Amino acid sequence: MGEHSTSGERKEKSARVSAAVLPVAGLVALVVGCLVAWSNASVSFGWFAYAPLSDQLFVGSGVAIVSQGTQIGLAVAATGLLILAFWAGYRIGRRASPKSR
């Protein structure tokens, strides 16, 4: 990094740093999204309904209510996964391409 470094070494070092930014950003988005989704997992709500002329009891089995915070967390996690998938595909394609060498 002193007087002896050439511009080629600086370009190579900056290329390594920029190549590491994308997967790190994807991992951060994935972890943050999972944490947000996990922290908003419990939603409590209640309602009652009156069904006139009905003698049957309604039981809502299998009903899943997802809060807005959980939806946002899952969207951020999915974005992180898409970033990581793009990065992996780019790296594999670049390695397999004969022009890159």
Side-chain angles (χ1 to χ4, degrees):
M1 286 282 248
E3 301 167 11
H4 303 292
S5 63
T6 64
S7 64
E9 291 175 0
R10 278 186 251 149
K11 286 181 184 178
E12 184 179 316
K13 191 174 281 191
S14 68
R16 271 191 252 139
V17 170
S18 64
V21 170
L22 195 62
V24 169
L27 283 173
V28 168
L30 179 63
V31 169
V32 168
C34 287
L35 289 175
V36 168
W38 186 268
S39 66
N40 291 315
S42 63
V43 175
S44 64
F45 68 96
W47 83 84
F48 75 90
Y50 174 68
L53 305 176
S54 174
D55 291 333
Q56 288 184 324
L57 178 66
F58 173 75
V59 178
S61 61
V63 175
I65 304 298
V66 181
S67 70
Q68 185 178 8
T70 303
Q71 291 174 356
I72 291 171
L74 292 174
V76 171
T79 303
L81 286 173
L82 286 173
I83 290 171
L84 288 173
F86 170 78
W87 175 78
Y90 179 77
R91 293 286 294 181
I92 290 170
R94 185 174 170 110
R95 194 177 309 151
S97 174
K99 291 182 180 180
S100 65
R101 293 182 182 171

